[in-house]
Amino acid sequence: MRALVFTAPGTVEMRDVAEPEVGAGEVLVHVMASGICGSELHGVKTPGFRVPPLVMGHEFAGRTDDGRQVIVNPILSCGDCDVCELGLRNVCRRRRIVGVHTPGGFAERVAVPAGALTEMPAGLSWTAAGVVEPVANAVHAWSLAGAPAGARVGIIGAGAIGLACSQVALSGGAARVEVADRAEDRRSIAAGLGAHAAVDELTGEYDVVFDAVGTAGTHRASLALLRPGGTAVWLGLADATAGFDAAGLVRGEQRVLGSFAYGDADFAAATELVGGWDLSWVGTFPLEDGAKVFTELMNGGTVPVKALLIP
């Protein structure tokens, strides 16, 4: 079986690997589309909890042996701890993630727990199915912010998560959505998808700011741009440094919320949303070209915003 394998810091390679062993309670999924995530680009360039050799890929959809078309929810929680009982299985202390802790979707086939499968709605394309996972992140962040219809929304970063946050906010009734990114091509995409402004740097004041980058500088900016009493939602994982003015946060009675992944309801909502979206920002590539595409994006490429590998 062919797979894209993280083999060493800064290196991914196409390799022949063993067929997956399907354990009790698992299902074999023949992968039809698997998205490259920014966290994977960062994780290969600066290794941490992803340990090579590893077949990554946590954003994927495919077919089962019995012909079902499915999208995989890669978060595997314990299901019986206090956090899971609160309905917060995305932050289960014992969670594992397909493509991080177990082999993932950058392969022709992968074995996953049967409970991780979501049936695809009739007529949903494989391209749309391949971006459900990142869109679910945006749905979750919007929900954490209170789904504030009528809000002025600022978004830092026009990668896949930032664009998804923009689309979710627009569909959720935000009064104004402005997106910032350093890359002109990504600003153009954000504007084409309906953002009211797409700029290199946000100015003014917002009710909600989504930080889809996650550096010390964007953390700081997300708070500096908030109105008193506003909410910053941090989704980006680029830097562990906080970088913000804590005293200003207190005086402005502002909120900072961390947003990690999604709940089951968010995943289901994303599955319904993406079918009607303009996905011109998503590019598809043969799995065999995966090493080239991944390396170009890892080294600073900005096009496409979201790359899907197709076995």
Side-chain angles (χ1 to χ4, degrees):
M1 176 183 76
R2 296 292 281 168
L4 179 65
V5 185
F6 169 29
T7 56
T11 304
V12 291
E13 303 174 55
M14 286 302 304
R15 288 191 171 183
D16 290 313
V17 302
E19 289 285 344
E21 295 183 7
V22 183
E26 292 187 330
V27 175
L28 185 69
V29 174
H30 299 260
V31 179
M32 298 299 293
S34 186
I36 297 175
C37 179
S39 67
E40 291 164 333
L41 301 173
H42 184 265
V44 168
K45 198 167 188 176
T46 310
F49 51 83
R50 289 177 176 85
V51 180
L54 173 67
V55 177
M56 300 184 299
H58 59 270
E59 308 174 358
F60 64 101
R63 285 194 178 96
T64 62
D65 280 339
D66 60 4
R68 289 178 294 149
Q69 296 185 347
V70 297
I71 306 167
V72 175
N73 182 332
I75 298 178
L76 311 177
S77 57
C78 75
D80 58 12
C81 69
D82 58 331
V83 177
C84 286
E85 289 178 355
L86 289 170
L88 303 173
R89 73 179 197 87
N90 57 310
V91 289
C92 170
R93 299 179 188 89
R94 298 197 293 271
R95 71 179 180 266
R96 300 165 77 227
I97 301 173
V98 177
V100 177
H101 304 101
T102 66
F106 291 164
E108 293 179 294
R109 290 169 289 281
V110 58
V112 299
L117 304 182
T118 295
E119 300 283 340
M120 282 174 56
L124 193 70
S125 70
W126 290 114
T127 297
V131 299
V132 163
E133 198 277 347
V135 171
N137 281 268
V139 171
H140 184 64
W142 180 247
S143 177
L144 286 177
R152 298 163 296 173
V153 176
I155 298 166
I156 303 174
I161 297 295
L163 292 178
C165 283
S166 175
Q167 292 290 88
V168 169
L170 288 165
S171 66
R176 186 168 180 83
V177 175
E178 301 184 8
V179 180
D181 198 281
R182 292 177 179 175
E184 183 179 357
D185 50 2
R186 293 193 170 188
R187 294 197 299 271
S188 177
I189 292 168
L193 293 174
H196 298 96
V199 295
D200 58 357
E201 185 175 353
L202 295 176
T203 58
E205 195 173 71
Y206 303 87
D207 302 300
V208 178
V209 176
F210 294 103
D211 178 4
V213 177
T215 66
T218 58
H219 290 159
R220 184 165 52 252
S222 71
L223 283 168
L225 293 161
L226 280 182
R227 66 161 171 80
T231 301
V233 183
W234 293 356
L235 300 90
L237 291 165
D239 189 344
T241 305
F244 66 93
D245 177 5
L249 179 144
V250 173
R251 294 190 183 100
E253 202 170 86
Q254 297 163 326
R255 295 192 306 160
V256 174
L257 300 174
S259 181
F260 180 77
Y262 34 77
D264 293 339
D266 303 315
F267 202 87
T271 302
E272 295 299 325
L273 274 176
V274 294
W277 280 12
D278 175 354
L279 297 176
S280 56
W281 47 279
V282 181
T284 59
F285 303 87
L287 175 63
E288 284 294 331
D289 293 344
K292 177 177 182 291
V293 174
F294 191 102
T295 302
E296 287 177 354
L297 291 171
M298 180 176 64
N299 291 331
T302 60
V303 178
V305 176
K306 170 61 66 177
L308 298 184
L309 301 181
I310 311 298

